[in-house]
Amino acid sequence: MTYIPIDNDVTQLLDEWHQGNKQALDKLTPVVHEELHRLAVQFMQKETDNHTLQATALVNEAFIKLAGIDIKWQDKVHFISMAARIMRNILVDHAKSKNAHKRQTNKNSIEFNDEIYANNSSLEELITIDELLDKLCIFDERASKIVELTLFGGLTQPEISELLQLSISTVERELRIARAWINKHR
Amino acid sequence: MNTTQWRQVKKLFDQTIDLPKSEQSSFLKKNCNDSEIINEVLGLIAAEESNQTVSVKGLNTIVISGAHKLIFQEQGLNPGDQVGAYRIQKLIGQGGMGSVYLANRTDEQFEQNVAIKITHQTIKDSELSVRFAFERQVLGQLEHPYIARIYDAGRTIDEHPYIIMEYVDGENIIDYCNRNQLSLNARITLFNQVCEAVHYSHQKGIIHRDLKPGNILISEIDDKPTPKVIDFGIAQNDFQRNTSDNIQASFSRDNSNNKINHESSVEINTSSKSNEGRLGTPSYMSPEQLASPEAVDIRSDVYAMGVLLYHLISGCMPFKIKSQDLEEVLKIKLSYATPPSIQLLNNKNNQMLAEQRQLNVKSLSKALKIDLDAICVKAIHPEVNSRYSTISALADDLSCYQQNLPVSAVSNQHFYRLTKQFKRNRFQFIAASVFIIGLFAEIITTSYALVQETKAHELAQQESDKASAINQYLQEMFLTADPRKKGKQTKIVDVLSHAEDNIEDSFKNLPVIKASLYSTFGKLRTGLNDYDIAMTLLLKAKALQEQFLGKNHVDTLTTTNLIGEVYASQNELPTALGIFEENLIQTRRYLGNTHRLTMTTINNVAVNNYLQNEDEKNEVAMQKALSMMEELLALRTQVLGEEHAETSHARNNLAYMYGNFNQPQKALKLFKKNLEIQIRVFGEKNYFTLSTRNNIGIQYQDLDQLDEAETYMQASYVGLKEIQGVEHINTLRSAVSYISLLVIKNKIEPAKIIIQEIEKSLEKHPQVWNWFDEKTYQLAKNHLELKE
C-alpha cells in the first residue's frame, strides 16, 4: 500500500471542484479513496479494545490528513460530501465483489445452506441500501443525500443541518421518512 | 412514485405518524382520496415502527459491518505478490485475524498449488523466532494421507508470519456428509479415518487444538470420500497463538466457515487486551482448554472429536453456546452433555436431520441410543479423566459399535476405571458420615435436629436472645415444606431458595446466625446435588465464620468439612482429601478426638483415601484407610453408642472395605449386624436400611448364594422405589444390581420387567448404563430396542 503524503493540492482541488470544475473531482477522488483505505487499515492495526469502525472517524481523519485543518468551511462541506460518497462506493463495490465470490464458490453445491451464508447477509443488505438510495434520489434527492451523509459520512443531524443549511427539524423529518421508505422496500 | 406524489406522501406521513394509531387511517381518509398514497403512507408508518424494534437491523449496523468486512479483506496480500517461492493467486478465506491465499510455485516445471496462511500480526521477538523454527521442523514431520502437509513457514519482509501448506480442495466434513446424505455408518467410517490422522499426530507429540468441521475437509479421491485434516498443530505455542490459531478461515468452498452456523460461530477472544489469545471455536473446545490454553493435552483433542462425532451423527450440538462471555461458556461446558438421541428429539429440525441420514426421526434416535449416546457422552465428559484417554480408544469403541460388539463406554469390561465405577456403584457407600442423601423427609428432620442440637445450642450461648429467632426462622421455612403436609418435593426446593434468599435480610446484623444458616443450607443443597449453590452458600458461611468466630471455631471447621464433602460428591477426590486432612489436624487439636466433627472428619479422610487409592490400586494405602475405619468404628461405638446413626455409617463403610478386600464373610457379618441395628434405629422404609439390604445381596452374590442375594436385592429395590421413586439415582443403583443378579440366575423375563420399569429413568441418568455388566447391558439394550 502506498503512502499518500499530505498533499496541499487537495485544498486547491477542492476549491476548483467547488467552483464547478468536474475534472478536479476526478483527480480528488482516488486520493481520498486511498486515504480512507489506509486509515481503515491503520485503524484496525491499532488493536484497540473496541474494533468498531466508525465511518465518521475515518472521514474526519481523512479530511484532516488531506486538507489540513485550516480550510474554508465551504470546502469542508464539499469534502465531507465527497468523502461520504466515496465511502459509500468503496463499501458497496466491496460488498458486490464479495457477493460475486460467494456465488462462484458456491456453484458446485447442490444444497444451499442458509445458515452458512448468514454472515454475508449484511453485505447483500448493504447493496440493497445502495440501490434504494439511488431510487430515492430520483424523486427526493435531498432526503437521499441526508441518509448518505448520515450512514457513510457519519454526520450527526446538527452537522447535516449546518452543512446543508436546513433546520434540524427538517433534517430529522427527512431522515425519518427516508429511513422508513428504505426499510419498507428493503 | 413521482415527485409530486412523493411530496404528498411526505406531507401526510409527517402529519400522521405522531397521531394515535387508531386515528391514523381515518385522518388519512379525510385528507386524501388517493388510496395508493394512503397505502404508501401507512406502509411507511409501519416500516418506521418496526424499525423501533430491536429485531430489525439498523441501517447503521449494516454499513458498519460492511466496513468491517472491507477492512479484513484489505489487509494482506494481493494476487501476484511473492511469498517464499510461491506466487499468490487469490484470496480463498479470511477471518478475524488473518487470511488464507491460494498460491502456486513459480520456480518449478510443474505447477503445485498451495495454501498460504498469513496473519495480520507481526513477530519481531527473537525468542519467538526460535520457537517458530522449531515448530516448523516438527510440523514438517507430519506425513499422513489424511493430514494436509505443511511445506514451509516463514515471515514476510514486514514480519508477518505465514505457513505454507497443502492446498485441499474439499468441503467441510459436516456439509459433505449432509449434502451426500451419508448414512450413520458411512459417517462413522469417515470419522474413524479422521481419528487415524489425529492419533498419528498424537504419537508424534502434536496436539491439534482446533479440531472442528472447518478443519476437516473431505475431497473425493477415486470416488471415495477422503478426509484431510488441516491446521495441524498450528495452535501449539505462542507463535501460533499469534498466527494461524487466530485465523478462523479455511479453504475453498469452505470459505465461509468462520461463521459456519450459529452453534459453532461464536468466536471468543480473550485477547483484546493482550496477545495471549484463546481464539477458537468454543463449541469444540474442551473446558480445560477454555480455562487455560496451556493446560491442554491429547484429551482436549478427544473432546473436540467427541463434539464433532456428536454433531456428525445427530446433527445437533451438545451445548447451545450463544454467549461470548468466557465464564458463561465455561460454565456450560462444565455440565454434562445431553445424549445425542435425546438432543435430537428436542431439535426442531430433526426431520431434516434424519433425512440427511436416510432415516426417520424415530429410527435415528433409536440408532443413537445407548452405544453412540454413551460414546459421545464419554468423549465430551467435562472431567478430563473420565474421557477416552486416547483418540484410538474412541475409534476402537466406534469400530466395536460398527461390528456389533459391546463398546467400552457402555459395558465395563474393557476399562479398569469403569469396572471400578461399576463395582463402586454396586454398593451404597456412604461417603460422609453425616451426609444426607436425597431423602427429603430425612433431610428436614435430620438437619433440623442437627441445627437444634449443635448449632442452635452453641449459638444460644453466644447470642442467647437471638436463638429463638433462628429457630423460628427454620421452623417457618421447614414446616411449610414438610412433605407430610404438602407432599410435593418440588415445593421444598422452592422453599429452600426462598429461605436462602431471605437470610441476608432476615439476619442483617447477626453475622454468626447468618453464617450458620448459610452453612446449613449449603449442606442441604449438597444433599440435593445442587453443588454450585451449595458451594456458594458454604463459602459465604466460611467467610463470615472466619471473620466473626475465628478459623478454629467449631462452626468454621464444620463448614470447611462440608466444603470438602461438596468436592467429594463431585468426585474431586484429591481436593476433597486435602481439605479433610487439613481439617482433621485442626479438629483434633481444637475439638479433641471424641468430638463428633472430628470423627466425621476421620471418616471422610478414610473414605476418600480409600477411594483415591482404589483408583490407583495402592493396596498399602487402602489397607491403611481400612484400619482407620476400624478405629473410627470403635471410637464411635464408644462415644456415641452402638446404635447411633453415625456409628452405623462407619460400620457400613468398613464392611464395604472388607468386601473389597476379599473378605466377603467378614463383610457379610458386619452388614447383617448393621441391618439389624438400622431396622431398629431408622425403620425398614429408610434409605440407609434399604441400602444395606442391597449391600448384603451383593455379598451373597459374591459368595455364590444367589437365592439369598435375590431376596435382599429385591427388597432393596422395591423399598427404594417406594420411598424415593424409580427415577432416583439410589433406586437405579439398586435396580442395576438386582437386574444383573436376575440375569446371572437366568431369570430373563423378570429382569426384563425391571428394565422396563427403569427405562425412563435411564434416559435421565445415562451414566447408569456404565454400571451394567456386559451381559445385562446387552439384554437391556436389546430389550429396549425390540420394544420400539
Side-chain angles (χ1 to χ4, degrees), chain B residues 561-573:
Chain B
N561 179 62
L562 290 171
I563 290 172
E565 289 182 6
V566 174
Y567 282 115
S569 310
Q570 293 173 291
N571 222 17
E572 292 178 36
L573 301 183

Side-chain angles (χ1 to χ4, degrees), chain A residues 149-163:
Chain A
L149 287 170
T150 308
L151 290 181
F152 299 96
L155 267 64
T156 61
Q157 289 169 13
E159 281 168 343
I160 296 173
S161 99
E162 207 178 338
L163 191 71

